[in-house]
Amino acid sequence: MRTQVAIVGAGPAGLLLSHLLAMAGIDSVVLETRSREYVERRVRAGVLEQPTVELLRSVGLGERMDSEGLPHEGISLRFDGADHRIDFAALTGRSITVYGQQEVVKDLIAARIAAQGDLRFEVSDVTLHDVDGNEPRVTFRDADGTAQEVRCDAIAGCDGFHGVSRSAVPAGLVTAYEQTYPFAWLGILAETPPSHDELIYCYHERGFALHSMRSPQVTRLYLQVAPDERIEDWSDARIWDELHVRLAADGFALTEGAMLEKGITGMRSFVVEPMRHGRLFLAGDAAHIVPPTGAKGMNLAIADVLQLSRALTAWLREGRTELIDGYGETCLRRIWRAQHFSWWMTSMLHRFPGGDPFQHQIQLSQLRYTATSVPAATTLAENYVGLPFS
Ligand code: APR
Ligand code: PHB
């Protein structure tokens, strides 16, 4: 097989890249180890920044997002048992949209299939070859086990944090920056209307909690837990009890419902440089991870592939190389801004094990300042709603 761009991974990054390239008249093949059903059901992030929303709309992917997504003009910080609203609309004139990552993925797959794009699910043994030469290749096995090879001009490594693409960059050339956190998030999806019409980020002495949602009928809730906590040790009743305690506030009643999903996810900050090696370009979680507190993961993946689609288009259609040469540098500016914001939100809102009273007072002071100072609140709001794409 021959294509222009072989894309490894059908998450938001890989799928949107193939959509944007197709709009520019560039061929691609998307290779995904999981099944279509699996990627369409996998519960992940749920907040779209304004630039992400505008991009999806402008490339013909806005229809269901605009009818089913929930526009939000602010969030609340809850501490000392009371809410402090950060009014995005008043502070920045911008807003966010709550729309699940798997809904974005469903819309992208539907659009690629309607356009007769080449998407291969349930492939195995994906291996990258000759990424530093002029004729890179990807070998893999199709769903039925047949050995295949795709020759291409470029490979896009969009296969997430646990994928194979990142390791095709020689170890001696890679710099990795990493920070782990002494906590994880236990997340649930519950069949019950949200208990409040916006997101609530709650700092509590027993740990962080987050009230979010997926639709007017489905609530998404998170609890900070120890990183080695096992989900089997958290019965539904124990989870609800802990959520009631942490989210308690005057005039707030948390409604319970059947748990549709529950799981524990670790938290880390991670960046690799360079994002390009020869004909291989990394994008999304393959190149960087943020802790979920700033809701930046999916938005960053989308910003990367917007830039990558522009760079590959300039090169493959017009022979211009300055954008592929500057790809990593351009993306990393946004990535490091999001890294700082996500680390800052995480540090402000979680209880650190050991309960250092000095740190607790520092966090409370930062929360009070962010809640009461217009410049401080604007800093949170501007980063949360998303800085404009370059
Ligand atoms: N070959 C092919 N596909 C692979 C391989 C492989 N060797 N390894 C992993 N994959 C697939 C995964 O199954 C997944 O569907 O690559 C895809 C990567 O998708 P995501 O993990 O969703 O990553 P990305 O598209 O960069 O989107 C980032 O995902 O984890 C969230 O918070 C993160 O919201 C952010 C978003
Ligand atoms: C979610 O709804 O899943 C969600 C919302 C905000 C975050 C993280 C996750 O910061």
Side-chain angles (χ1 to χ4, degrees), residues 118-180:
D118 194 344
L119 298 183
R120 314 266 175 127
F121 292 98
E122 298 175 73
V123 305
S124 53
D125 294 346
V126 175
T127 311
L128 280 52
H129 306 270
D130 306 328
V131 299
D132 46 8
N134 289 333
E135 301 205 324
R137 294 175 296 129
V138 182
T139 55
F140 64 99
R141 287 187 186 282
D142 250 334
D144 66 7
T146 315
Q148 301 278 9
E149 176 180 87
V150 202
R151 285 171 292 111
C152 53
D153 297 311
I155 301 174
C158 303
D159 48 351
F161 185 66
H162 301 287
V164 294
S165 299
R166 196 169 59 245
S167 59
V169 184
L173 299 180
V174 171
T175 307
Y177 302 86
E178 185 159 18
Q179 171 100 33
T180 54

Side-chain angles (χ1 to χ4, degrees), residues 4 18-27 309-310 312-314 317:
Q4 287 173 291
S18 86
H19 180 84
L20 297 174
L21 291 175
M23 288 180 67
I26 293 172
D27 264 4
S309 69
R310 290 172 177 159
L312 290 171
T313 303
R317 297 206 49 136

Side-chain angles (χ1 to χ4, degrees), residues 256-272:
E256 298 187 14
M259 279 194 201
L260 305 171
E261 226 250 2
K262 60 180 179 179
I264 293 180
T265 328
M267 295 174 73
R268 58 155 60 84
S269 302
F270 174 80
V271 178
V272 287

Side-chain angles (χ1 to χ4, degrees), residues 75-371:
I75 57 169
S76 287
L77 299 177
R78 178 171 290 179
F79 55 94
D80 296 338
D83 282 349
H84 308 266
R85 185 163 184 269
I86 307 292
D87 187 332
F88 296 158
L91 294 165
T92 68
R94 295 145 76 83
S95 59
I96 54 163
T97 297
V98 174
Y99 190 59
Q101 177 167 321
Q102 75 271 37
E103 306 307 324
V104 175
V105 164
K106 278 182 212 159
D107 294 345
L108 280 162
I109 291 175
R112 291 308 297 133
I113 287 177
Q116 294 172 348
D118 194 344
L119 298 183
R120 314 266 175 127
F121 292 98
E122 298 175 73
V123 305
S124 53
D125 294 346
V126 175
T127 311
L128 280 52
H129 306 270
D130 306 328
V131 299
D132 46 8
N134 289 333
E135 301 205 324
R137 294 175 296 129
V138 182
T139 55
F140 64 99
R141 287 187 186 282
D142 250 334
D144 66 7
T146 315
Q148 301 278 9
E149 176 180 87
V150 202
R151 285 171 292 111
C152 53
D153 297 311
I155 301 174
C158 303
D159 48 351
F161 185 66
H162 301 287
V164 294
S165 299
R166 196 169 59 245
S167 59
V169 184
L173 299 180
V174 171
T175 307
Y177 302 86
E178 185 159 18
Q179 171 100 33
T180 54
Y181 298 88
F183 32 76
W185 278 16
L186 185 161
I188 67 162
L189 202 61
E191 197 165 17
T192 183
S195 308
H196 182 68
D197 53 12
E198 289 180 342
L199 273 61
I200 304 166
Y201 286 79
C202 176
Y203 178 70
H204 187 273
E205 62 182 17
R206 293 176 62 87
F208 171 74
L210 172 61
H211 167 274
S212 180
M213 64 202 68
R214 282 295 175 277
S215 72
Q217 296 80 35
V218 176
T219 305
R220 180 92 170 130
L221 295 154
Y222 295 95
L223 285 170
Q224 172 188 348
V225 296
D228 54 358
E229 205 71 53
R230 295 176 338 139
I231 196 70
E232 300 77 47
D233 295 333
W234 286 82
S235 65
D236 293 4
R238 182 178 175 202
I239 295 172
W240 286 117
D241 286 351
E242 192 64 31
L243 284 164
H244 282 293
V245 170
R246 294 193 199 177
L247 287 169
D250 279 349
F252 177 81
L254 180 67
T255 61
E256 298 187 14
M259 279 194 201
L260 305 171
E261 226 250 2
K262 60 180 179 179
I264 293 180
T265 328
M267 295 174 73
R268 58 155 60 84
S269 302
F270 174 80
V271 178
V272 287
E273 290 182 30
M275 291 174 68
R276 173 191 177 189
H277 176 65
R279 299 288 185 105
L280 169 66
F281 298 83
L282 300 176
D285 277 16
H288 43 77
I289 296 285
V290 286
T293 326
K296 288 288 161 232
M298 171 171 41
N299 294 292
L300 268 189
I302 285 173
D304 285 356
V305 299
L306 172 62
Q307 189 57 31
L308 184 53
S309 69
R310 290 172 177 159
L312 290 171
T313 303
W315 174 47
L316 294 171
R317 297 206 49 136
E318 298 161 34
R320 290 194 290 120
T321 54
E322 74 276 9
L323 293 184
I324 54 170
D325 292 342
Y327 168 66
E329 196 184 334
T330 306
C331 289
L332 283 159
R333 283 182 173 265
R334 189 180 191 84
I335 292 164
W336 279 111
R337 177 87 300 279
Q339 287 290 354
H340 172 266
F341 177 65
S342 306
W343 165 86
W344 174 74
M345 287 282 280
T346 302
S347 309
M348 176 169 74
L349 284 159
H350 290 74
R351 284 311 297 267
F352 285 76
D356 177 349
F358 177 84
Q359 178 154 15
H360 172 57
Q361 293 301 332
I362 290 286
Q363 286 173 257
L364 274 179
S365 169
Q366 182 67 54
L367 282 163
R368 290 183 190 126
Y369 178 56
T370 305

